[in-house]
Amino acid sequence: MAEAIQKKLQSELEKYQQLQKDVSKSMSARQKLEAQLTENNIVKEELALLDIQNTVYKLIGPVLVKQDLDEAKATVSKRLEYINGEIQRYETLLKEMERKSEQHREVLSSLQHVNIFCFEMPQAADM
Amino acid sequence: MASVHDQMAAAGKVKRSKDLPQGVERLKEEHRKVVKDCRSQIEHWKKVENDYESLQERLRTLPDKLSYDIMVPFGPLAFMPGKLVHTNELTVLLGDNWFAKCSAKQADALVEHRKKHVKNTLDDLQKVMKNFQNRADFTDDLEKLTGDTGDFVDIREEVINEEEVTKGKHRLAHKANSKPKQVYLLELEEDKEKKEGDDERTTGVLSEEELWARLDELERQEELQDERYRYTRLDSTDTNGEDTTSSSEEEKEADGGSDVQVNGHQKENGWLPTSITSQMNGTNGSHPEDEEEEDCDEEAGNGLPTIYFSHTAEFKKVRINTGKNTTLKFSERNEQKAQAKRKKKSGKSNGHSPHESYKITSPADIYRVFVDLVNGEPIPRKSILKSRSRENSMCSDTSESSTADFEERRAAFGRSWSHDDATHSDTSDGITEEESPTGTSPRTNGRFEAFTGTVIEKDPLPCSIPHLTIAPPALPTIPERKLEEVGPEAPQEPPKRMSKFKATQLHQK
């Protein structure tokens, strides 16, 4: 009985740890996205400062490709929207994972209690 | 933290949880970590700003010459002489793999724009650092506070008399030198259910909005206190601070919190009941603690030097502006009320204690006495008593005497208004309302007898309510108010009384 509970505890623990890893991964991805968001905002503002005379280039791999100013502005705006969408998605994902991890935590704590009882009884008996 | 431990040992009777020094230490660590992080980040951004500054300098001087002779880096290890041409044409990285060809001046503008961003970031970081620095200082202060090393003195007032008419709300003596910020970290166990603020709230230095929020918090806490005390009062028999009534969540929390000392320092810093609970513990809560504390004046349960303050045995004295600029003491009203009740019950004309009329403790007394002389009636009481014995008889005295008498009667059941600052209205009202059914009829009689120019509420029961409504305005002049009330209320009274009312009114006019 005690061993079964222990095994259960172990498996639950593993699941919980896995979940935590996922949470942290999502968190870091989201942070990256946030950095990109700020960067693209700055690019947008700086593009606004330029005029049509300045040629705009985009670095694609090792190549600097000439771009139209308006095109560049549009592209940057689109990218901004995309990033925002991604952030939203990650938000919901994070919340979901948080909820699941909470459930797991509860399960773990209850299992721990049972485990303690199961162990302390026989140990007390042994002693 | 050795010093804290020593102090704890010295505190002796104080049951402080062992988590306190550890908690404080941990909190300080966290604060320090944040502050360090902030510092390093600020340094980094300052460097960035400096770089931009030098870049701008370079941009300004670059177009001065058509070409420069320079040593061009050739691979990672070599340089070779070369020329820098097209000095005004710059390819600027805008971010995210976007480039733009600009002139030096345009580049300069771009750099300015970026510097703005950097400045904003720097400002934010500075704010955060200051915030956490304040928090760290605050925890230091708190530690000193609990460790008896500071100059803080705790002033306690033990409230013994539970039956004192305090109308349901306790006035708690504020701790000397206690600044609002210090109260935050006290009694944090209760906050688990009511966690309102996070650690951000526990800064010692509050911004304006935080101050207002804090004020709102305190108001809410006061209301909660009132409720709590109302409950304890109505239960009354249990004077033990650990409320057995679990009528409210807060009381449960108070129970839980009373186990922890007032200065129990928890990691979770919440706002809410800190001040309540600390005060609760100070007066209501933890009677075993109180008993211990009473022994030692200096070593309080809080570990603070404590001064025990107690009011004199007299009742709370409240100056009330009754009509014609007389004032009555609250205690006197009590006596009057008691005597009025006695008289009602006994119905004897001589039932009153002599000292009531002749004891002059306030201008009102003099006034009454004076009135007696003017009217030629040696004892105002007599006439009042007579009027009491006779139903619906109006006092033939001048309005002033009857006013004074009426004030007494009002005192009998209208205590609530006498306190503009006392907040005990609730329980006392409860008490008065309990008594009101029994004393209604004599009361009405008495009221009418007393009246010449003052109002008597229509019914005995609702009479308390008008009292309450009158109460809030500070220092109401009762007779005048009564006069105001006479008009609407007069028609509702039985015709007999009405006629007398009107007669006297007319007479007065």
Side-chain angles (χ1 to χ4, degrees), chain A residues 39-40 43 45-47 50-51 54-59 64 72 76 79, chain B residues 93-103 106 109-110 113-114 117:
Chain A
E39 193 177 8
N40 272 285
V43 172
E45 288 165 14
E46 292 187 348
L47 278 176
L50 295 173
D51 58 19
N54 313 102
T55 35
V56 180
Y57 297 94
K58 173 111 178 130
L59 184 71
L64 265 183
V76 172
R79 181 146 172 85
Chain B
L93 170 66
L94 304 173
D96 195 27
N97 288 342
W98 288 99
F99 290 84
K101 258 210 166 84
C102 323
S103 73
Q106 283 168 334
L110 283 173
H113 174 254
R114 282 195 207 165
H117 270 277

PDB file of all heavy atoms in Angstrom, chain A residues 39-40 43 45-47 50-51 54-59 64 72 76 79, chain B residues 93-103 106 109-110 113-114 117:
ATOM      1  N   GLU A  39      11.463  46.048 -30.096  1.00  0.00           N
ATOM      2  CA  GLU A  39      12.385  46.383 -31.174  1.00  0.00           C
ATOM      3  C   GLU A  39      11.614  46.846 -32.407  1.00  0.00           C
ATOM      4  O   GLU A  39      11.944  47.879 -33.018  1.00  0.00           O
ATOM      5  CB  GLU A  39      13.232  45.163 -31.512  1.00  0.00           C
ATOM      6  CG  GLU A  39      14.403  45.523 -32.389  1.00  0.00           C
ATOM      7  CD  GLU A  39      15.275  44.314 -32.667  1.00  0.00           C
ATOM      8  OE1 GLU A  39      14.872  43.202 -32.293  1.00  0.00           O
ATOM      9  OE2 GLU A  39      16.348  44.499 -33.262  1.00  0.00           O
ATOM     10  N   ASN A  40      10.591  46.091 -32.760  1.00  0.00           N
ATOM     11  CA  ASN A  40       9.840  46.455 -33.953  1.00  0.00           C
ATOM     12  C   ASN A  40       9.144  47.788 -33.787  1.00  0.00           C
ATOM     13  O   ASN A  40       8.970  48.532 -34.761  1.00  0.00           O
ATOM     14  CB  ASN A  40       8.834  45.347 -34.283  1.00  0.00           C
ATOM     15  CG  ASN A  40       9.453  44.293 -35.170  1.00  0.00           C
ATOM     16  OD1 ASN A  40       9.637  44.505 -36.358  1.00  0.00           O
ATOM     17  ND2 ASN A  40       9.802  43.163 -34.575  1.00  0.00           N
ATOM     18  N   VAL A  43      11.730  50.295 -34.592  1.00  0.00           N
ATOM     19  CA  VAL A  43      11.977  50.354 -36.040  1.00  0.00           C
ATOM     20  C   VAL A  43      10.865  51.146 -36.715  1.00  0.00           C
ATOM     21  O   VAL A  43      11.118  51.992 -37.584  1.00  0.00           O
ATOM     22  CB  VAL A  43      12.068  48.927 -36.620  1.00  0.00           C
ATOM     23  CG1 VAL A  43      12.114  48.976 -38.136  1.00  0.00           C
ATOM     24  CG2 VAL A  43      13.281  48.222 -36.077  1.00  0.00           C
ATOM     25  N   GLU A  45       9.022  53.465 -35.481  1.00  0.00           N
ATOM     26  CA  GLU A  45       9.151  54.903 -35.228  1.00  0.00           C
ATOM     27  C   GLU A  45      10.281  55.507 -36.042  1.00  0.00           C
ATOM     28  O   GLU A  45      10.175  56.622 -36.578  1.00  0.00           O
ATOM     29  CB  GLU A  45       9.409  55.132 -33.728  1.00  0.00           C
ATOM     30  CG  GLU A  45       8.188  54.873 -32.877  1.00  0.00           C
ATOM     31  CD  GLU A  45       8.543  54.756 -31.404  1.00  0.00           C
ATOM     32  OE1 GLU A  45       9.675  55.141 -31.031  1.00  0.00           O
ATOM     33  OE2 GLU A  45       7.702  54.274 -30.638  1.00  0.00           O
ATOM     34  N   GLU A  46      11.384  54.762 -36.165  1.00  0.00           N
ATOM     35  CA  GLU A  46      12.515  55.324 -36.887  1.00  0.00           C
ATOM     36  C   GLU A  46      12.238  55.393 -38.382  1.00  0.00           C
ATOM     37  O   GLU A  46      12.670  56.327 -39.065  1.00  0.00           O
ATOM     38  CB  GLU A  46      13.770  54.496 -36.593  1.00  0.00           C
ATOM     39  CG  GLU A  46      14.208  54.663 -35.144  1.00  0.00           C
ATOM     40  CD  GLU A  46      15.541  54.002 -34.856  1.00  0.00           C
ATOM     41  OE1 GLU A  46      16.012  53.233 -35.703  1.00  0.00           O
ATOM     42  OE2 GLU A  46      16.080  54.267 -33.777  1.00  0.00           O
ATOM     43  N   LEU A  47      11.524  54.413 -38.874  1.00  0.00           N
ATOM     44  CA  LEU A  47      11.144  54.498 -40.285  1.00  0.00           C
ATOM     45  C   LEU A  47      10.316  55.735 -40.553  1.00  0.00           C
ATOM     46  O   LEU A  47      10.394  56.342 -41.634  1.00  0.00           O
ATOM     47  CB  LEU A  47      10.353  53.247 -40.693  1.00  0.00           C
ATOM     48  CG  LEU A  47      11.173  52.011 -41.039  1.00  0.00           C
ATOM     49  CD1 LEU A  47      10.247  50.844 -41.326  1.00  0.00           C
ATOM     50  CD2 LEU A  47      12.083  52.257 -42.219  1.00  0.00           C
ATOM     51  N   LEU A  50      12.349  58.742 -41.341  1.00  0.00           N
ATOM     52  CA  LEU A  50      13.060  58.817 -42.617  1.00  0.00           C
ATOM     53  C   LEU A  50      12.162  59.393 -43.702  1.00  0.00           C
ATOM     54  O   LEU A  50      10.937  59.432 -43.557  1.00  0.00           O
ATOM     55  CB  LEU A  50      13.518  57.419 -43.033  1.00  0.00           C
ATOM     56  CG  LEU A  50      14.557  56.759 -42.135  1.00  0.00           C
ATOM     57  CD1 LEU A  50      14.767  55.325 -42.580  1.00  0.00           C
ATOM     58  CD2 LEU A  50      15.868  57.511 -42.171  1.00  0.00           C
ATOM     59  N   ASP A  51      12.763  59.780 -44.767  1.00  0.00           N
ATOM     60  CA  ASP A  51      11.964  60.189 -45.926  1.00  0.00           C
ATOM     61  C   ASP A  51      12.281  59.274 -47.101  1.00  0.00           C
ATOM     62  O   ASP A  51      13.139  58.402 -47.031  1.00  0.00           O
ATOM     63  CB  ASP A  51      12.204  61.649 -46.285  1.00  0.00           C
ATOM     64  CG  ASP A  51      13.668  61.922 -46.584  1.00  0.00           C
ATOM     65  OD1 ASP A  51      14.423  60.971 -46.869  1.00  0.00           O
ATOM     66  OD2 ASP A  51      14.069  63.080 -46.497  1.00  0.00           O
ATOM     67  N   ASN A  54      15.850  58.196 -48.487  1.00  0.00           N
ATOM     68  CA  ASN A  54      16.728  57.183 -47.903  1.00  0.00           C
ATOM     69  C   ASN A  54      16.323  55.830 -48.422  1.00  0.00           C
ATOM     70  O   ASN A  54      15.152  55.466 -48.389  1.00  0.00           O
ATOM     71  CB  ASN A  54      16.623  57.172 -46.377  1.00  0.00           C
ATOM     72  CG  ASN A  54      16.710  58.557 -45.799  1.00  0.00           C
ATOM     73  OD1 ASN A  54      15.713  59.139 -45.436  1.00  0.00           O
ATOM     74  ND2 ASN A  54      17.921  59.059 -45.736  1.00  0.00           N
ATOM     75  N   THR A  55      17.323  55.071 -48.883  1.00  0.00           N
ATOM     76  CA  THR A  55      17.028  53.711 -49.305  1.00  0.00           C
ATOM     77  C   THR A  55      17.040  52.819 -48.084  1.00  0.00           C
ATOM     78  O   THR A  55      17.920  52.917 -47.231  1.00  0.00           O
ATOM     79  CB  THR A  55      18.062  53.207 -50.319  1.00  0.00           C
ATOM     80  OG1 THR A  55      19.340  53.755 -49.972  1.00  0.00           O
ATOM     81  CG2 THR A  55      17.693  53.620 -51.718  1.00  0.00           C
ATOM     82  N   VAL A  56      16.071  51.940 -48.060  1.00  0.00           N
ATOM     83  CA  VAL A  56      15.952  51.007 -46.940  1.00  0.00           C
ATOM     84  C   VAL A  56      16.356  49.630 -47.415  1.00  0.00           C
ATOM     85  O   VAL A  56      15.991  49.208 -48.512  1.00  0.00           O
ATOM     86  CB  VAL A  56      14.500  50.981 -46.420  1.00  0.00           C
ATOM     87  CG1 VAL A  56      14.374  50.015 -45.272  1.00  0.00           C
ATOM     88  CG2 VAL A  56      14.060  52.368 -46.019  1.00  0.00           C
ATOM     89  N   TYR A  57      17.141  48.951 -46.620  1.00  0.00           N
ATOM     90  CA  TYR A  57      17.605  47.609 -46.966  1.00  0.00           C
ATOM     91  C   TYR A  57      17.115  46.638 -45.912  1.00  0.00           C
ATOM     92  O   TYR A  57      16.964  46.956 -44.733  1.00  0.00           O
ATOM     93  CB  TYR A  57      19.122  47.544 -47.020  1.00  0.00           C
ATOM     94  CG  TYR A  57      19.732  48.411 -48.082  1.00  0.00           C
ATOM     95  CD1 TYR A  57      20.164  49.700 -47.768  1.00  0.00           C
ATOM     96  CD2 TYR A  57      19.899  47.967 -49.387  1.00  0.00           C
ATOM     97  CE1 TYR A  57      20.732  50.512 -48.721  1.00  0.00           C
ATOM     98  CE2 TYR A  57      20.473  48.757 -50.347  1.00  0.00           C
ATOM     99  CZ  TYR A  57      20.880  50.038 -50.012  1.00  0.00           C
ATOM    100  OH  TYR A  57      21.449  50.829 -50.971  1.00  0.00           O
ATOM    101  N   LYS A  58      16.916  45.439 -46.348  1.00  0.00           N
ATOM    102  CA  LYS A  58      16.575  44.378 -45.399  1.00  0.00           C
ATOM    103  C   LYS A  58      17.665  43.327 -45.482  1.00  0.00           C
ATOM    104  O   LYS A  58      18.054  42.904 -46.587  1.00  0.00           O
ATOM    105  CB  LYS A  58      15.222  43.767 -45.779  1.00  0.00           C
ATOM    106  CG  LYS A  58      14.886  42.567 -44.962  1.00  0.00           C
ATOM    107  CD  LYS A  58      13.736  42.831 -44.039  1.00  0.00           C
ATOM    108  CE  LYS A  58      13.435  41.550 -43.307  1.00  0.00           C
ATOM    109  NZ  LYS A  58      13.322  41.557 -41.953  1.00  0.00           N
ATOM    110  N   LEU A  59      18.171  42.902 -44.352  1.00  0.00           N
ATOM    111  CA  LEU A  59      19.220  41.895 -44.328  1.00  0.00           C
ATOM    112  C   LEU A  59      18.591  40.514 -44.367  1.00  0.00           C
ATOM    113  O   LEU A  59      17.964  40.078 -43.406  1.00  0.00           O
ATOM    114  CB  LEU A  59      20.053  42.052 -43.052  1.00  0.00           C
ATOM    115  CG  LEU A  59      21.254  41.104 -42.959  1.00  0.00           C
ATOM    116  CD1 LEU A  59      22.323  41.505 -43.948  1.00  0.00           C
ATOM    117  CD2 LEU A  59      21.823  41.116 -41.556  1.00  0.00           C
ATOM    118  N   LEU A  64      22.035  42.248 -48.379  1.00  0.00           N
ATOM    119  CA  LEU A  64      21.228  43.423 -48.070  1.00  0.00           C
ATOM    120  C   LEU A  64      20.317  43.665 -49.265  1.00  0.00           C
ATOM    121  O   LEU A  64      20.778  43.991 -50.351  1.00  0.00           O
ATOM    122  CB  LEU A  64      22.129  44.643 -47.870  1.00  0.00           C
ATOM    123  CG  LEU A  64      22.539  45.004 -46.444  1.00  0.00           C
ATOM    124  CD1 LEU A  64      23.360  46.268 -46.419  1.00  0.00           C
ATOM    125  CD2 LEU A  64      21.337  45.168 -45.543  1.00  0.00           C
ATOM    126  N   ALA A  72       8.516  48.754 -46.549  1.00  0.00           N
ATOM    127  CA  ALA A  72       9.155  48.415 -45.274  1.00  0.00           C
ATOM    128  C   ALA A  72       8.223  48.733 -44.118  1.00  0.00           C
ATOM    129  O   ALA A  72       8.070  47.938 -43.166  1.00  0.00           O
ATOM    130  CB  ALA A  72      10.475  49.182 -45.129  1.00  0.00           C
ATOM    131  N   VAL A  76       6.817  46.030 -41.473  1.00  0.00           N
ATOM    132  CA  VAL A  76       7.057  46.118 -40.030  1.00  0.00           C
ATOM    133  C   VAL A  76       5.742  46.107 -39.264  1.00  0.00           C
ATOM    134  O   VAL A  76       5.613  45.457 -38.212  1.00  0.00           O
ATOM    135  CB  VAL A  76       7.879  47.379 -39.715  1.00  0.00           C
ATOM    136  CG1 VAL A  76       7.976  47.594 -38.223  1.00  0.00           C
ATOM    137  CG2 VAL A  76       9.276  47.260 -40.290  1.00  0.00           C
ATOM    138  N   ARG A  79       4.442  42.669 -39.106  1.00  0.00           N
ATOM    139  CA  ARG A  79       5.199  41.855 -38.153  1.00  0.00           C
ATOM    140  C   ARG A  79       4.788  42.178 -36.724  1.00  0.00           C
ATOM    141  O   ARG A  79       4.672  41.291 -35.880  1.00  0.00           O
ATOM    142  CB  ARG A  79       6.691  42.120 -38.335  1.00  0.00           C
ATOM    143  CG  ARG A  79       7.505  41.294 -37.407  1.00  0.00           C
ATOM    144  CD  ARG A  79       8.827  40.870 -38.021  1.00  0.00           C
ATOM    145  NE  ARG A  79       9.644  40.241 -36.982  1.00  0.00           N
ATOM    146  CZ  ARG A  79       9.533  38.955 -36.657  1.00  0.00           C
ATOM    147  NH1 ARG A  79       8.664  38.200 -37.273  1.00  0.00           N
ATOM    148  NH2 ARG A  79      10.281  38.452 -35.705  1.00  0.00           N
TER     149      ARG A  79
ATOM    150  N   LEU B  93      21.531  50.755 -38.919  1.00  0.00           N
ATOM    151  CA  LEU B  93      20.719  49.588 -38.547  1.00  0.00           C
ATOM    152  C   LEU B  93      19.532  50.073 -37.724  1.00  0.00           C
ATOM    153  O   LEU B  93      19.701  50.660 -36.651  1.00  0.00           O
ATOM    154  CB  LEU B  93      21.551  48.611 -37.730  1.00  0.00           C
ATOM    155  CG  LEU B  93      20.781  47.466 -37.078  1.00  0.00           C
ATOM    156  CD1 LEU B  93      20.194  46.540 -38.121  1.00  0.00           C
ATOM    157  CD2 LEU B  93      21.657  46.706 -36.124  1.00  0.00           C
ATOM    158  N   LEU B  94      18.346  49.823 -38.250  1.00  0.00           N
ATOM    159  CA  LEU B  94      17.161  50.286 -37.539  1.00  0.00           C
ATOM    160  C   LEU B  94      16.666  49.249 -36.534  1.00  0.00           C
ATOM    161  O   LEU B  94      15.837  49.550 -35.695  1.00  0.00           O
ATOM    162  CB  LEU B  94      16.015  50.575 -38.527  1.00  0.00           C
ATOM    163  CG  LEU B  94      16.339  51.559 -39.638  1.00  0.00           C
ATOM    164  CD1 LEU B  94      15.182  51.619 -40.615  1.00  0.00           C
ATOM    165  CD2 LEU B  94      16.601  52.941 -39.064  1.00  0.00           C
ATOM    166  N   GLY B  95      17.150  48.056 -36.604  1.00  0.00           N
ATOM    167  CA  GLY B  95      16.680  46.995 -35.728  1.00  0.00           C
ATOM    168  C   GLY B  95      15.966  45.941 -36.540  1.00  0.00           C
ATOM    169  O   GLY B  95      15.400  46.235 -37.585  1.00  0.00           O
ATOM    170  N   ASP B  96      16.015  44.712 -36.055  1.00  0.00           N
ATOM    171  CA  ASP B  96      15.320  43.606 -36.694  1.00  0.00           C
ATOM    172  C   ASP B  96      15.729  43.454 -38.168  1.00  0.00           C
ATOM    173  O   ASP B  96      14.888  43.308 -39.065  1.00  0.00           O
ATOM    174  CB  ASP B  96      13.807  43.823 -36.596  1.00  0.00           C
ATOM    175  CG  ASP B  96      13.044  42.543 -36.917  1.00  0.00           C
ATOM    176  OD1 ASP B  96      13.634  41.459 -36.697  1.00  0.00           O
ATOM    177  OD2 ASP B  96      11.896  42.641 -37.372  1.00  0.00           O
ATOM    178  N   ASN B  97      17.003  43.552 -38.409  1.00  0.00           N
ATOM    179  CA  ASN B  97      17.555  43.344 -39.755  1.00  0.00           C
ATOM    180  C   ASN B  97      17.077  44.359 -40.788  1.00  0.00           C
ATOM    181  O   ASN B  97      17.051  44.082 -41.979  1.00  0.00           O
ATOM    182  CB  ASN B  97      17.225  41.924 -40.246  1.00  0.00           C
ATOM    183  CG  ASN B  97      18.055  40.907 -39.500  1.00  0.00           C
ATOM    184  OD1 ASN B  97      19.067  41.247 -38.899  1.00  0.00           O
ATOM    185  ND2 ASN B  97      17.642  39.659 -39.536  1.00  0.00           N
ATOM    186  N   TRP B  98      16.712  45.522 -40.361  1.00  0.00           N
ATOM    187  CA  TRP B  98      16.363  46.600 -41.294  1.00  0.00           C
ATOM    188  C   TRP B  98      17.464  47.647 -41.294  1.00  0.00           C
ATOM    189  O   TRP B  98      17.967  48.055 -40.251  1.00  0.00           O
ATOM    190  CB  TRP B  98      15.043  47.268 -40.864  1.00  0.00           C
ATOM    191  CG  TRP B  98      13.847  46.431 -41.103  1.00  0.00           C
ATOM    192  CD1 TRP B  98      13.198  45.664 -40.204  1.00  0.00           C
ATOM    193  CD2 TRP B  98      13.128  46.295 -42.337  1.00  0.00           C
ATOM    194  NE1 TRP B  98      12.120  45.045 -40.775  1.00  0.00           N
ATOM    195  CE2 TRP B  98      12.061  45.421 -42.094  1.00  0.00           C
ATOM    196  CE3 TRP B  98      13.296  46.821 -43.614  1.00  0.00           C
ATOM    197  CZ2 TRP B  98      11.158  45.063 -43.086  1.00  0.00           C
ATOM    198  CZ3 TRP B  98      12.398  46.456 -44.590  1.00  0.00           C
ATOM    199  CH2 TRP B  98      11.329  45.584 -44.331  1.00  0.00           C
ATOM    200  N   PHE B  99      17.813  48.076 -42.505  1.00  0.00           N
ATOM    201  CA  PHE B  99      18.844  49.095 -42.643  1.00  0.00           C
ATOM    202  C   PHE B  99      18.293  50.257 -43.436  1.00  0.00           C
ATOM    203  O   PHE B  99      17.346  50.122 -44.226  1.00  0.00           O
ATOM    204  CB  PHE B  99      20.069  48.535 -43.362  1.00  0.00           C
ATOM    205  CG  PHE B  99      20.820  47.543 -42.534  1.00  0.00           C
ATOM    206  CD1 PHE B  99      20.437  46.222 -42.482  1.00  0.00           C
ATOM    207  CD2 PHE B  99      21.930  47.937 -41.807  1.00  0.00           C
ATOM    208  CE1 PHE B  99      21.134  45.305 -41.730  1.00  0.00           C
ATOM    209  CE2 PHE B  99      22.625  47.025 -41.052  1.00  0.00           C
ATOM    210  CZ  PHE B  99      22.225  45.715 -41.008  1.00  0.00           C
ATOM    211  N   ALA B 100      18.937  51.377 -43.235  1.00  0.00           N
ATOM    212  CA  ALA B 100      18.523  52.553 -43.999  1.00  0.00           C
ATOM    213  C   ALA B 100      19.742  53.398 -44.291  1.00  0.00           C
ATOM    214  O   ALA B 100      20.605  53.585 -43.430  1.00  0.00           O
ATOM    215  CB  ALA B 100      17.490  53.353 -43.229  1.00  0.00           C
ATOM    216  N   LYS B 101      19.776  53.929 -45.483  1.00  0.00           N
ATOM    217  CA  LYS B 101      20.872  54.820 -45.846  1.00  0.00           C
ATOM    218  C   LYS B 101      20.447  56.227 -45.471  1.00  0.00           C
ATOM    219  O   LYS B 101      19.432  56.728 -45.933  1.00  0.00           O
ATOM    220  CB  LYS B 101      21.116  54.742 -47.371  1.00  0.00           C
ATOM    221  CG  LYS B 101      22.278  53.920 -47.806  1.00  0.00           C
ATOM    222  CD  LYS B 101      22.851  54.480 -49.100  1.00  0.00           C
ATOM    223  CE  LYS B 101      24.215  53.895 -49.383  1.00  0.00           C
ATOM    224  NZ  LYS B 101      24.213  52.593 -50.046  1.00  0.00           N
ATOM    225  N   CYS B 102      21.296  56.849 -44.661  1.00  0.00           N
ATOM    226  CA  CYS B 102      20.950  58.200 -44.223  1.00  0.00           C
ATOM    227  C   CYS B 102      22.167  59.093 -44.246  1.00  0.00           C
ATOM    228  O   CYS B 102      23.300  58.631 -44.303  1.00  0.00           O
ATOM    229  CB  CYS B 102      20.424  58.219 -42.792  1.00  0.00           C
ATOM    230  SG  CYS B 102      19.432  56.843 -42.331  1.00  0.00           S
ATOM    231  N   SER B 103      21.874  60.367 -44.183  1.00  0.00           N
ATOM    232  CA  SER B 103      22.962  61.322 -43.990  1.00  0.00           C
ATOM    233  C   SER B 103      23.326  61.348 -42.513  1.00  0.00           C
ATOM    234  O   SER B 103      22.639  60.782 -41.681  1.00  0.00           O
ATOM    235  CB  SER B 103      22.527  62.702 -44.440  1.00  0.00           C
ATOM    236  OG  SER B 103      21.619  63.248 -43.510  1.00  0.00           O
ATOM    237  N   GLN B 106      20.606  62.918 -40.402  1.00  0.00           N
ATOM    238  CA  GLN B 106      19.456  62.047 -40.183  1.00  0.00           C
ATOM    239  C   GLN B 106      19.801  60.971 -39.156  1.00  0.00           C
ATOM    240  O   GLN B 106      18.999  60.617 -38.290  1.00  0.00           O
ATOM    241  CB  GLN B 106      19.024  61.401 -41.501  1.00  0.00           C
ATOM    242  CG  GLN B 106      18.265  62.351 -42.388  1.00  0.00           C
ATOM    243  CD  GLN B 106      18.096  61.797 -43.788  1.00  0.00           C
ATOM    244  OE1 GLN B 106      18.896  60.988 -44.252  1.00  0.00           O
ATOM    245  NE2 GLN B 106      17.069  62.250 -44.468  1.00  0.00           N
ATOM    246  N   ALA B 109      19.512  62.324 -35.795  1.00  0.00           N
ATOM    247  CA  ALA B 109      18.133  62.343 -35.310  1.00  0.00           C
ATOM    248  C   ALA B 109      17.705  60.971 -34.828  1.00  0.00           C
ATOM    249  O   ALA B 109      17.050  60.830 -33.778  1.00  0.00           O
ATOM    250  CB  ALA B 109      17.198  62.823 -36.419  1.00  0.00           C
ATOM    251  N   LEU B 110      18.080  59.937 -35.575  1.00  0.00           N
ATOM    252  CA  LEU B 110      17.724  58.584 -35.165  1.00  0.00           C
ATOM    253  C   LEU B 110      18.334  58.253 -33.803  1.00  0.00           C
ATOM    254  O   LEU B 110      17.679  57.663 -32.926  1.00  0.00           O
ATOM    255  CB  LEU B 110      18.201  57.570 -36.212  1.00  0.00           C
ATOM    256  CG  LEU B 110      17.349  57.462 -37.479  1.00  0.00           C
ATOM    257  CD1 LEU B 110      18.015  56.563 -38.489  1.00  0.00           C
ATOM    258  CD2 LEU B 110      15.981  56.903 -37.128  1.00  0.00           C
ATOM    259  N   HIS B 113      16.450  59.794 -31.043  1.00  0.00           N
ATOM    260  CA  HIS B 113      15.223  59.044 -30.777  1.00  0.00           C
ATOM    261  C   HIS B 113      15.501  57.811 -29.930  1.00  0.00           C
ATOM    262  O   HIS B 113      14.759  57.470 -29.006  1.00  0.00           O
ATOM    263  CB  HIS B 113      14.601  58.659 -32.118  1.00  0.00           C
ATOM    264  CG  HIS B 113      13.417  57.776 -31.976  1.00  0.00           C
ATOM    265  ND1 HIS B 113      13.452  56.440 -32.269  1.00  0.00           N
ATOM    266  CD2 HIS B 113      12.163  58.044 -31.591  1.00  0.00           C
ATOM    267  CE1 HIS B 113      12.260  55.930 -32.063  1.00  0.00           C
ATOM    268  NE2 HIS B 113      11.452  56.875 -31.653  1.00  0.00           N
ATOM    269  N   ARG B 114      16.611  57.167 -30.217  1.00  0.00           N
ATOM    270  CA  ARG B 114      16.927  55.977 -29.436  1.00  0.00           C
ATOM    271  C   ARG B 114      17.312  56.326 -28.016  1.00  0.00           C
ATOM    272  O   ARG B 114      16.982  55.627 -27.056  1.00  0.00           O
ATOM    273  CB  ARG B 114      18.087  55.216 -30.076  1.00  0.00           C
ATOM    274  CG  ARG B 114      17.632  54.430 -31.250  1.00  0.00           C
ATOM    275  CD  ARG B 114      18.643  53.424 -31.650  1.00  0.00           C
ATOM    276  NE  ARG B 114      18.473  53.165 -33.075  1.00  0.00           N
ATOM    277  CZ  ARG B 114      19.362  52.554 -33.823  1.00  0.00           C
ATOM    278  NH1 ARG B 114      20.500  52.167 -33.299  1.00  0.00           N
ATOM    279  NH2 ARG B 114      19.117  52.347 -35.085  1.00  0.00           N
ATOM    280  N   HIS B 117      14.454  56.442 -25.686  1.00  0.00           N
ATOM    281  CA  HIS B 117      14.039  55.149 -25.165  1.00  0.00           C
ATOM    282  C   HIS B 117      14.907  54.709 -23.997  1.00  0.00           C
ATOM    283  O   HIS B 117      14.430  54.215 -22.966  1.00  0.00           O
ATOM    284  CB  HIS B 117      14.100  54.094 -26.268  1.00  0.00           C
ATOM    285  CG  HIS B 117      12.818  53.980 -27.010  1.00  0.00           C
ATOM    286  ND1 HIS B 117      11.772  53.237 -26.558  1.00  0.00           N
ATOM    287  CD2 HIS B 117      12.414  54.539 -28.161  1.00  0.00           C
ATOM    288  CE1 HIS B 117      10.764  53.333 -27.410  1.00  0.00           C
ATOM    289  NE2 HIS B 117      11.132  54.124 -28.394  1.00  0.00           N
TER     290      HIS B 117
END
